[in-house]
């Protein structure tokens, strides 16, 4: 990883940012296809996305391509549009703008970025003089409709499986009529071109051999949330099949990198960072996890783990994790009662939770719990049990000495396209608020910190997860991103939030995102829904 000196004539704050980076790729544009890789949120947030970093490496490693990054900061506007990080070029100088979308709420920034760059917001209004605007990410792979009018093409599935086929077609299309290019692109597996409706559903693409790709940090900077980590992907997809989980449906099947590869990358990463960030939906599920953690300890690396499953946590793993500097164990029971955990297929029992609590507390680790509020079929008893379970956890941890901090994160259930719960409603905002109050009432004064995700914006997220093309206009026409502008826009366009978010949809009804083949048949999703009791 090279470190480059700041360049003359640049904005001083951009210079400072670049001076902090290691691994930045600077390429001459001559004869290369210039691609702007856009993260529609701040540099601080985007640079911690391993997916974003991986695409940057993948594109810059492709002969004939130069890829530069761009972000959307709070102070960006039509007067101060986003520029590329590497060469400070305006975004309409690029032949392609590739948006990496991780969260639905980042959708609001898409029309703002395009407008500020002087690029027509809607694909139908663009011509050969404008860049091709493409997108990818798990949420648009599941339901691309709310942002479809903004994009020329949307990648359905994993970038590594799609970009190597897409890029040569775009590179060869120079001088071609835009519509001809779009028709050509629409033939590539895993590409949805909204202006060229597909004859059959677009099937999600995924890579079979994960080890064929290096998925690690590519640009290191301290100016990001996970700035002290060298990130290494351990696995992708999750075999547990929780019925609400987008991660599980968007990245199935579960695949893992070999321990030898992970340790090889970690050894290289140690030159830059002491702490290795192991990334995956349930890191302790890796079949060689003991070998990986043991190997990391042998080389003296500190360890960080993005998330783990209690059921695969052993005393030996906790030992390695403690030695590797992990101070907090994050656990996601999601529901307070066994009944509701079975409904959502979160296969962990209270005994397993308590066992893990004892193991972690004995090592003076802090505990962080994630619960969802408003899950389908949830009763007040389930809600109260979230608080009671947390209190039992606190009492069990306190047996090992005071000061073991317990944090509880409460977030509303949001139905996601492509999951077995896609047909089920989100509970009304007022009802979720009432249930959160119940939990907070129990926990008040108990020395437990509760972080609450606001249900109003979760309702917006649910609309963007289950909604259709009409939402693009709502987002594009909002003078600024605020809840009141959103509500006004929904009303102006006659979109019923109740119908989009709060109603159970009949399984026979055609889903808005039926042009996507997620890789699991609707019959299988329906069977899962039935097994959950709906
Ligand atoms: S264990 Fe976690 S990542 Fe896996 S399916 Fe369940 S919620 Fe999703």
């Amino acid at each position: 990883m090279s470190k480059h000196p700041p360049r003359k004539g640049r904005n001083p704050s951009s210079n400072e940012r670049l001076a902090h980076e290691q691994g930045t790729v600077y390429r001459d544009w001559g004869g290369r296809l210039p691609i702007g890789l856009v993260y529609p949120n701040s540099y601080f947030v985007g640079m911690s996305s391993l997916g974003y970093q991986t695409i940057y490496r993948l594109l810059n490693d492709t002969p004939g391509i130069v890829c530069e990054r761009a972000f959307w900061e709070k102070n960006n506007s039509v007067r101060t549009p986003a520029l590329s990080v590497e060469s400070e070029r305006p975004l309409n100088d690029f032949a392609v703008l590739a948006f990496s979308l991780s969260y639905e709420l980042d959708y609001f920034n898409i029309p703002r970025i395009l407008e500020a760059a002087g690029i027509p917001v809607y694909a139908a209004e663009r011509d050969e003089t404008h860049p091709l605007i493409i997108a990818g990410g798990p949420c648009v792979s599941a339901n691309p409709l709310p942002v479809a009018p903004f994009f020329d093409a949307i990648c359905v599935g994993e970038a590594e499986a799609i970009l190597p086929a897409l890029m040569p077609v775009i590179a060869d299309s120079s001088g071609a009529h835009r519509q001809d290019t779009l028709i050509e692109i629409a033939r590539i597996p895993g590409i949805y071109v909204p202006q060229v409706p597909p004859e059959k559903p677009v099937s999600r693409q995924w890579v079979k051999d994960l080890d064929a790709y290096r998925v690690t940090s590519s640009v290191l900077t301290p100016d990001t949330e996970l700035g002290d980590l060298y990130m290494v992907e351990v696995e992708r997809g999750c075999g547990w099949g929780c019925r609400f989980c987008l991660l599980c449906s968007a990245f199935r099947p579960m695949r893992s990198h070999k321990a030898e590869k992970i340790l090889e990358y970690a050894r290289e990463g140690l030159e830059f960072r002491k702490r290795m960030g192991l990334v995956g939906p349930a890191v302790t599920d890796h079949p060689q996890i003991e070998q990986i953690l043991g190997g990391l300890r042998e080389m003296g690396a500190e360890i960080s783990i993005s998330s783990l499953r209690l059921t695969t946590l052993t005393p030996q793993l906790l030992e390695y994790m403690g030695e590797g500097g992990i101070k907090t164990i994050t656990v996601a029971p999601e529901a307070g009662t066994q009944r509701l955990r079975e409904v959502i297929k979160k296969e962990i029992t209270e005994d397993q939770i308590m066992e893990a609590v004892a193991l972690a507390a004995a090592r003076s680790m802090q505990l962080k719990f994630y619960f969802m509020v408003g899950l389908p079929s949830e009763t007040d008893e389930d809600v109260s049990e979230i608080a009671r379970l947390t209190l039992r956890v606190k009492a069990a941890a306190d047996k090992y000495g005071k000061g073991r901090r317990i944090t509880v994160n409460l977030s509303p259930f949001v139905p996601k396209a492509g999951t077995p719960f896609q047909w089920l409603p989100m509970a009304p905002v007022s009802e979720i608020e009432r249930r959160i109050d119940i939990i907070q009432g129990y926990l008040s004064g108990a020395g437990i910190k509760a972080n609450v995700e606001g249900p109003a914006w979760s309702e917006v997220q649910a609309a963007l997860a289950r909604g259709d093309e009409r939402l693009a206009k709502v987002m594009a026409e909002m003078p600024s991103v605020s809840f009141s502008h959103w509500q006004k826009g929904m009303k102006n366009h006659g979109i019923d939030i109740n119908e989009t978010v709060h109603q159970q949809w009949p399984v026979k009804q055609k889903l808005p995102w039926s042009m996507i083949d997620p890789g699991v048949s609707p019959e299988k999703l329906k069977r899962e829904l039935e097994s959950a009791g709906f």
Side-chain angles (χ1 to χ4, degrees):
M1 260 185 196
S2 54
K3 195 163 176 150
H4 288 261
R7 295 177 160 195
K8 285 199 182 121
R10 292 177 52 96
N11 174 330
S13 65
S14 314
N15 249 350
E16 199 179 310
R17 180 178 278 176
L18 275 182
H20 290 165
E21 289 190 349
Q22 289 167 292
T24 321
V25 179
Y26 296 100
R27 287 260 155 81
D28 191 78
W29 278 36
R32 292 194 169 97
L33 179 75
I35 301 178
L37 181 59
V38 184
Y39 195 92
N41 204 320
S42 67
Y43 178 92
F44 184 81
V45 173
M47 286 301 288
S48 285
S49 161
L50 184 54
Y52 182 75
Q53 294 239 2
T54 300
I55 299 168
Y56 182 71
R57 170 184 286 119
L58 185 72
L59 290 173
N60 275 317
D61 282 353
T62 308
I65 284 178
V66 49
C67 172
E68 300 191 0
R69 293 160 293 153
F71 300 90
W72 186 250
E73 308 293 343
K74 284 212 164 58
N75 62 352
N76 281 133
S77 66
V78 172
R79 271 198 232 136
T80 51
L83 303 174
S84 72
V85 173
E86 285 77 359
S87 66
E88 287 200 316
R89 282 187 168 84
L91 298 189
N92 57 6
D93 277 7
F94 289 83
V96 180
L97 291 181
F99 280 71
S100 172
L101 301 169
S102 304
Y103 304 106
E104 287 95 347
L105 295 181
D106 286 346
Y107 292 176
F108 288 97
N109 292 333
I110 300 165
R112 279 154 192 86
I113 293 169
L114 295 175
E115 191 192 2
I119 299 168
V121 162
Y122 298 110
E125 292 167 11
R126 296 195 285 263
D127 60 29
E128 286 72 13
T129 62
H130 300 115
L132 270 179
I133 314 290
I134 65 175
C139 31
V140 282
S141 290
N143 176 16
L145 285 181
V147 292
F150 302 143
F151 291 106
D152 297 298
I154 293 174
C155 300
V156 178
E158 296 171 7
E160 297 96 331
I162 299 172
L163 295 183
L166 174 62
M167 288 308 146
V169 176
I170 296 179
D172 289 348
S173 69
S174 154
H177 193 278
R178 196 175 182 95
Q179 188 60 20
D180 293 338
T181 306
L182 294 182
I183 291 171
E184 213 37 52
I185 289 175
R187 294 200 178 106
I188 300 170
I191 301 277
Y192 169 53
V193 176
Q195 294 185 77
V196 184
E199 281 164 16
K200 58 181 180 43
V202 178
S203 48
R204 181 178 61 86
Q205 304 293 302
W206 47 277
V207 294
K208 294 195 174 52
D209 177 14
L210 219 47
D211 273 330
Y213 302 90
R214 181 180 179 127
V215 185
T216 65
S217 294
S218 55
V219 179
L220 289 161
T221 173
D223 304 331
T224 183
E225 196 181 349
L226 306 177
D228 64 331
L229 297 182
Y230 186 84
M231 294 184 282
V232 183
E233 185 182 54
V234 169
E235 63 194 7
R236 198 178 290 182
C238 180
W240 290 97
C242 302
R243 293 180 174 123
F244 58 85
C245 181
L246 175 66
L247 261 187
C248 179
S249 60
F251 293 104
R252 66 163 61 90
M254 187 211 171
R255 292 142 290 156
S256 39
H257 291 273
K258 288 197 188 68
E260 297 72 26
K261 276 274 173 207
I262 294 167
L263 292 173
E264 178 189 321
Y265 296 145
R267 205 163 286 116
E268 290 165 19
L270 266 181
E271 283 182 38
F272 308 96
R273 294 287 187 271
K274 284 196 302 239
R275 184 174 285 265
M276 296 299 122
L278 303 181
V279 180
V283 171
T284 47
D285 281 7
H286 191 290
Q288 298 164 294
I289 188 66
E290 289 213 1
Q291 186 184 336
I292 295 166
L293 296 189
L296 289 175
R297 288 307 302 136
E298 259 171 44
M299 60 178 93
E302 293 180 7
I303 301 166
S304 165
I305 286 183
S306 62
S307 60
L308 52 80
R309 277 283 301 201
L310 281 185
T311 39
T312 43
L313 199 58
T314 62
Q316 177 64 69
L317 291 183
L318 266 171
E319 202 59 51
Y320 285 139
M321 288 157 70
E323 285 169 15
I326 291 185
K327 294 192 175 62
T328 305
I329 295 290
T330 302
V331 181
E334 308 292 4
T337 57
Q338 192 61 32
R339 179 200 74 80
L340 193 50
R341 285 197 291 275
E342 278 165 21
V343 168
I344 63 176
K345 210 175 171 187
K346 192 88 201 191
E347 291 168 7
I348 47 174
T349 62
E350 182 158 338
D351 285 350
Q352 287 168 326
I353 296 171
M354 288 307 178
E355 234 168 80
V357 167
L359 286 171
R363 286 163 179 79
S364 302
M365 288 172 164
Q366 319 292 348
L367 290 147
K368 200 187 268 181
F369 281 79
Y370 280 84
F371 289 101
M372 280 194 281
V373 180
L375 278 164
S377 85
E378 185 181 68
T379 62
D380 279 6
E381 175 55 21
D382 296 307
V383 172
S384 309
E385 199 53 30
I386 292 178
R388 290 194 213 115
L389 173 61
T390 312
L391 292 171
R392 287 197 289 278
V393 163
K394 172 97 172 79
D398 281 350
K399 282 193 196 139
Y400 293 85
K402 294 277 171 201
R404 277 142 179 91
R405 206 174 49 227
I406 313 280
T407 311
V408 181
N409 289 288
L410 303 171
S411 51
F413 161 71
V414 169
K416 298 280 178 136
T419 68
F421 281 1
Q422 63 187 351
W423 291 282
L424 298 181
M426 177 184 169
V429 168
S430 57
E431 182 56 23
I432 293 177
E433 282 168 345
R434 186 185 72 80
R435 296 184 199 181
I436 288 173
D437 282 349
I438 294 178
I439 300 169
Q440 287 187 312
Y442 274 101
L443 297 184
S444 130
I448 294 168
K449 186 168 184 284
N451 299 321
V452 177
E453 201 176 298
W457 280 102
S458 297
E459 184 188 66
V460 178
Q461 196 190 3
L464 295 171
R466 291 219 302 184
D468 58 31
E469 301 96 323
R470 294 172 300 162
L471 293 173
K473 276 216 158 108
V474 175
M475 290 187 276
E477 290 170 9
M478 284 165 63
S480 63
V481 183
S482 76
F483 191 64
S484 59
H485 287 318
W486 161 261
Q487 283 182 311
K488 214 178 279 168
M490 291 288 278
K491 199 165 163 216
N492 288 347
H493 287 280
I495 305 171
D496 181 0
I497 190 74
N498 208 36
E499 163 64 24
T500 312
V501 170
H502 298 298
Q503 281 184 19
Q504 178 160 350
W505 294 350
V507 288
K508 287 203 183 98
Q509 181 177 308
K510 191 174 173 210
L511 291 164
W513 50 89
S514 58
M515 83 295 284
I516 300 297
D517 169 6
V520 186
S521 68
E523 286 65 38
K524 176 141 197 279
L525 293 176
K526 283 176 201 164
R527 277 200 301 276
E528 274 295 315
L529 185 69
E530 267 174 37
S531 309
F534 300 99

